[in-house]
Amino acid sequence: MCCDLKRRFLLLYATQKGQAKAIAEEIWQQAGAHGFEAEMHCISEMDKYNLETEKDPVVIVISTTGTGDPPDTARKFVKRIQDTTLPPDHFAHLQYGLLGLGDSEYTFFCNGGKTVDRRLQELGAQHFYDTGLADDCVGLELVVDPWIDGLWLALREAFLLQKEKEGMSSNDDTVSSSLSAAPPDMDELNLSTEVRNLKLEDEGVRSSDVLSQKLVDIHLASSTGDTEPSLVHSVPPISQSALNIPALPPDYIEVEFQDTHGENPHPSSLISEGTAFEVSVTRAVRLTREDAIKTALLLELDIADTMFDYQPGDAFCVICPNNVSEVEELLQILGLSEKGDYFVCVKVKQGAKKKGAAIPQHIPARSTVKFILTWCLEIRAIPKKAFLRALVECTSDVGEKRRLQELCSRQGASDYTRFIRESDVCLLDLLHAFPSCKPSLNLLIEHLPKLQARSYSVSSSNLYQPGRLCFLFNIVEFPTCPARPVSRKGVCTGWLAELVAPLLHPNKNTSDAKAENPSTEKISIFVRPNNTFHLPADPSVPFMMVGPGTGISPFIGFLQHRQKLREEHTDWEFGETWLFFGCRHQDRDYLFKDELRCFLENGTLTHLKVCFSRDSSTAEVASPKYVQEVVRLYAKEVARVLLQERGYFYVCGDKKHMADGVSDAVVDILSMEMKVDKLEAMKTLAMLRETKQYLQDVWS
């Protein structure tokens, strides 16, 4: 249990990719310096804590996944608290503070945290600290850092209030003595209203959870002729400032090199999200012309001999490796080129100071160095500030060390955002930019996140093509930039493109092209069902689909499924179907052009509306270039389908540049057709989302 001088609070985290856990660990790490003891658990470990009897304050850090769902680790917890038989005072005894993580690129921003927050309030729980909602789109640290700074005073006030309620404040000095045992800090003495409300301050001294870094010779960082800041170079005022840098994260992993004898585990054994299936790639077709700006590939997988099941609209995940060349390059920089095939035993360091130190679940107890870097760690991940802080200790050059300190400091927040976050800088980029930095393998295991499987929408119907699964993707390209001297392809799309290169037929523009040689290449996949993005259960209900570019992917599965149902059930009534599709050039990247024409001719697709953003128009009145503009041309039809016929409206594709524009168009249509103001139209669209009539499958 906690020591007598420190006050205990319960710290719960719910994470999907590790961010919420890392932030919870930061809170746990800082707690001791402020006179508190955090009892930290994953929210899924419900056998280790009990909110029904919890008397101390509770701090919850929770992320959001999918299109607004709580993370997988929180599903059981959310299901439990959403029990409708619970009384409204079920958690009346509970005081809590919640930090939600999300991405404003998505419609249901921080919905995982909002869902838990709202339900705890409904069950009588009280806030002892205002809820924080951090946005990964602009940088989580912009809210996370000040939220943590303000947490300690809020906890102190919560404990004082608790003692007052117990009637012990007059004769019990243990609280005040425990608080005075903590080192004094400025957030106790001068915590502004802005910090309490999660607004940023430009000045002020950090509390004792950070180390004050004295100014070093600024001329060591770069030559005197540089006037513009960059990844490796700073300018005043930061180059002349004393820095507040984070505390050094404690190391806790030990790597023991062994021999070259043994076998690596299968990559599919590393996943925890579901059952993985190893399947053959039976067909690969390039759907875009060679002079198209983006390269779209359609792959077909053989799932006939597996238990893999899906519905049109579902997504699935591909387990992919890191790029071979990048792994080799990393081995060379780390000085491990000769030891890449050596097996290593990964252990927790004896006497590790990290709370709950354990080998990450995605790291095998025994495997080769190359396997860990290839299949386990996301080496393309944008380094977090805690990682930068740890890299400082591995850097010998004084100027490089100073710049890394700047990038992880409070004063260097804007430089971090500009030169690391927005530039998509990864570990390799940093090691090239700071050549005296030589991290150890154990440091990479401690700080790099799990290599995530990549998710793709199914582009087929099991009813139409039994035993086959198709999916569509663009090969992602990352061009060069000042912080990244080499261009790169997406981790998964680049790997898949290389894998299926022998099957590609660049002269064929239709998905009906047959591969001359069946592939023996196999990939591992697992299903990630989409609980809402499905065809209407009633086939007579009309629906509209908006899917420019590769956003058309799930709608091909919809139409294949609908065509097969029409063939098998001639006596059924089927509602009308609309598809709004757009691309850059009609003759270069009009995906599934022939298939869509067939769907039109046989009546599966009632209306097809297309637009081309880069083709020049010879008409007196310019044609619309984007799908959101085309949707506006059919305002009465959209209103009729959604409002009068209670139909469905599906949107798939890029959120920022398309899906938001489509939702704005629908709001304007509803406002015009219903003859109401924009606010009322927005409420109507929110209701359509709530009733699952307006559905999105979008990405940023």
Side-chain angles (χ1 to χ4, degrees):
M1 291 300 293
C2 312
C3 66
D4 292 338
L5 293 177
K6 293 187 178 180
R7 301 298 293 172
R8 170 194 174 275
F9 67 93
L10 179 63
L11 175 59
L12 302 177
Y13 65 87
T15 191
Q16 187 71 22
K17 296 183 179 180
Q19 289 180 316
K21 182 181 180 183
I23 292 168
E25 289 173 343
E26 175 72 13
I27 294 172
W28 176 87
Q29 197 173 326
Q30 292 187 27
H34 293 276
F36 298 104
E37 182 90 14
E39 181 184 327
M40 186 173 73
H41 300 293
C42 177
I43 207 165
S44 63
E45 300 174 313
M46 290 185 282
D47 58 325
K48 297 181 180 179
Y49 66 90
N50 187 355
L51 293 188
E52 276 79 5
T53 59
E54 184 59 58
K55 295 181 179 179
D56 293 327
V58 179
V59 175
I60 301 171
V61 185
I62 178 170
S63 62
T64 297
T65 189
T67 55
D69 301 320
D72 293 342
T73 52
R75 286 183 179 177
K76 288 183 180 178
F77 175 83
V78 171
K79 184 177 181 181
R80 177 175 291 187
I81 65 173
Q82 286 182 335
D83 182 352
T84 55
T85 64
L86 295 176
D89 62 348
H90 185 71
F91 286 133
H93 61 284
L94 200 66
Q95 291 191 79
Y96 75 99
L98 185 142
L99 176 61
L101 313 181
D103 188 331
S104 60
E105 286 288 307
Y106 294 88
T107 303
F108 299 102
F109 170 63
C110 278
N111 198 55
K114 290 177 180 177
T115 298
V116 171
D117 195 19
R118 182 169 55 247
R119 186 55 180 155
L120 290 177
Q121 292 281 298
E122 290 171 354
L123 294 174
Q126 300 293 318
H127 287 130
F128 76 86
Y129 186 37
D130 291 339
T131 295
L133 301 176
D135 187 359
D136 200 28
C137 181
V138 296
L140 294 174
E141 66 277 1
L142 296 181
V143 165
V144 170
D145 289 351
W147 193 88
I148 295 176
D149 286 348
L151 174 63
W152 312 119
L153 181 56
L155 280 168
R156 289 182 176 87
E157 292 174 347
F159 280 117
L160 288 170
L161 185 62
Q162 186 182 75
K163 288 300 180 183
E164 288 174 7
K165 286 183 177 179
E166 293 172 0
M168 299 172 62
S169 58
S170 59
N171 56 9
D172 190 347
D173 296 329
T174 58
V175 175
S176 58
S177 64
S178 70
L179 297 182
S180 62
D185 56 19
M186 285 300 293
D187 70 7
E188 181 178 4
L189 302 173
N190 186 28
L191 182 71
S192 72
T193 305
E194 283 78 17
V195 170
R196 292 297 303 277
N197 289 300
L198 306 182
K199 295 181 180 178
L200 300 177
E201 291 181 325
D202 295 324
E203 299 178 348
V205 180
R206 279 294 300 268
S207 55
S208 59
D209 63 298
V210 299
L211 305 176
S212 180
Q213 174 64 34
K214 297 300 182 183
L215 184 64
V216 299
D217 187 350
I218 63 170
H219 299 294
L220 291 171
S222 61
S223 66
T224 56
D226 292 328
T227 57
E228 290 296 323
S230 67
L231 175 63
V232 297
H233 168 62
S234 62
V235 296
I238 185 174
S239 63
Q240 298 174 349
S241 299
L243 303 174
N244 303 113
I245 63 174
L248 180 66
D251 58 342
Y252 64 96
I253 290 292
E254 189 173 77
V255 176
E256 178 185 303
F257 284 83
Q258 299 179 336
D259 51 32
T260 58
H261 303 296
E263 283 190 13
N264 283 309
H266 194 279
S268 63
S269 67
L270 303 176
I271 70 156
S272 56
E273 295 91 339
T275 304
F277 301 92
E278 193 173 49
V279 296
S280 297
V281 182
T282 54
R283 189 158 58 97
V285 184
R286 177 172 178 155
L287 298 186
T288 49
R289 222 166 65 176
E290 289 199 22
D291 57 350
I293 293 175
K294 293 184 178 181
T295 300
L297 301 182
L298 179 74
L299 269 56
E300 180 186 88
L301 308 178
D302 182 358
I303 61 170
D305 297 327
T306 72
M307 297 296 290
F308 189 97
D309 191 27
Y310 72 90
Q311 294 183 55
D314 278 344
F316 72 100
C317 292
V318 176
I319 301 173
C320 60
N322 285 310
N323 180 272
V324 174
S325 299
E326 292 174 34
V327 171
E328 294 292 345
E329 194 177 354
L330 195 52
L331 285 169
Q332 184 177 1
I333 294 174
L334 296 177
L336 296 174
S337 293
E338 304 299 319
K339 294 187 175 182
D341 293 322
Y342 276 67
F343 279 80
V344 292
C345 182
V346 180
K347 303 176 181 177
V348 173
K349 183 178 289 187
Q350 193 169 4
K353 296 180 180 179
K354 178 183 170 68
K355 164 71 174 175
I359 301 171
Q361 290 184 348
H362 54 278
I363 302 295
R366 188 176 188 271
S367 61
T368 63
V369 176
K370 193 176 291 185
F371 182 87
I372 291 174
L373 294 179
T374 303
W375 292 99
C376 305
L377 299 177
E378 188 87 62
I379 64 175
R380 290 269 193 92
I382 296 173
K384 298 191 180 302
K385 290 186 177 182
F387 193 12
L388 296 183
R389 176 65 184 89
L391 291 176
V392 169
E393 305 305 308
C394 311
T395 305
S396 57
D397 181 87
V398 180
E400 293 176 9
K401 186 187 288 274
R402 163 71 189 193
R403 183 54 175 155
L404 286 171
Q405 289 171 331
E406 290 171 351
L407 289 168
C408 69
S409 70
R410 175 63 64 89
Q411 290 80 0
S414 60
D415 276 12
Y416 174 85
T417 299
R418 179 180 174 186
F419 299 117
I420 291 185
R421 182 182 177 80
E422 292 178 353
S423 298
D424 283 321
V425 162
C426 67
L427 176 62
L428 263 179
D429 300 323
L430 279 182
L431 296 180
H432 283 304
F434 302 95
S436 75
C437 182
K438 304 292 182 184
S440 60
L441 179 61
N442 65 285
L443 197 70
L444 270 57
I445 293 173
E446 290 170 0
H447 287 277
L448 286 175
K450 173 185 177 182
L451 177 58
Q452 296 289 334
R454 270 41 177 184
S455 179
Y456 297 94
S457 297
V458 171
S459 187
S460 55
S461 162
N462 217 354
L463 189 64
Y464 184 87
Q465 294 176 284
R468 293 288 185 267
L469 181 151
C470 294
F471 68 105
L472 172 70
F473 61 89
N474 283 326
I475 301 176
V476 178
E477 304 274 357
F478 297 100
T480 60
C481 68
R484 184 177 53 250
V486 295
S487 62
R488 297 191 180 108
K489 289 183 168 61
V491 172
C492 192
T493 61
W495 171 67
L496 288 172
E498 189 174 325
L499 191 73
V500 304
L503 291 178
L504 291 177
H505 294 264
N507 295 325
K508 299 289 181 82
N509 260 344
T510 171
S511 64
D512 291 330
K514 297 295 181 182
E516 295 173 2
N517 300 306
S519 172
T520 57
E521 297 292 350
K522 293 191 173 184
I523 64 174
S524 294
I525 63 173
F526 58 93
V527 72
R528 190 167 184 81
N530 189 319
N531 295 323
T532 57
F533 204 83
H534 291 149
L535 284 164
D538 181 354
S540 67
V541 173
F543 60 90
M544 293 178 154
M545 303 166 284
V546 182
T550 55
I552 195 176
S553 183
F555 303 136
I556 295 299
F558 278 18
L559 293 170
Q560 287 180 351
H561 201 78
R562 173 57 67 94
Q563 178 176 318
K564 199 64 180 175
L565 288 176
R566 284 167 56 87
E567 292 171 358
E568 294 180 352
H569 303 280
T570 55
D571 57 329
W572 285 11
E573 179 186 349
F574 292 91
E576 64 177 326
T577 55
W578 291 70
L579 175 64
F580 297 90
F581 174 76
C583 60
R584 289 178 176 82
H585 301 282
Q586 183 173 4
D587 57 349
R588 299 184 200 177
D589 50 7
Y590 189 164
L591 308 180
F592 299 103
K593 181 178 180 179
D594 294 337
E595 289 84 350
L596 293 177
R597 185 183 298 117
C598 290
F599 288 134
L600 263 179
E601 291 173 353
N602 64 32
T604 301
L605 182 59
T606 317
H607 305 280
L608 174 63
K609 308 300 176 184
V610 298
C611 57
F612 310 102
S613 62
R614 303 290 175 86
D615 285 345
S616 57
S617 174
T618 57
E620 290 185 12
V621 179
S623 302
K625 292 182 176 295
Y626 302 103
V627 286
Q628 52 266 46
E629 297 172 3
V630 182
V631 167
R632 291 178 184 274
L633 298 179
Y634 296 90
K636 292 190 179 299
E637 290 80 358
V638 170
R640 170 177 57 81
V641 167
L642 280 174
L643 302 176
Q644 297 175 26
E645 301 175 6
R646 300 192 60 77
Y648 286 57
F649 196 99
Y650 301 90
V651 183
C652 182
D654 175 77
K655 180 187 187 298
K656 188 173 184 180
H657 300 106
M658 183 277 298
D660 286 350
V662 172
S663 63
D664 288 345
V666 172
V667 166
D668 289 343
I669 288 170
L670 295 174
S671 174
M672 179 174 61
E673 296 299 321
M674 296 170 64
K675 295 181 173 54
V676 296
D677 61 27
K678 191 168 183 177
L679 180 60
E680 194 62 34
M682 291 172 70
K683 290 179 181 178
T684 301
L685 180 59
M687 180 196 68
L688 293 171
R689 293 183 193 273
E690 191 71 25
T691 58
K692 310 300 182 188
Q693 285 179 259
Y694 190 95
L695 296 158
Q696 290 185 314
D697 181 6
V698 298
W699 52 83
S700 59

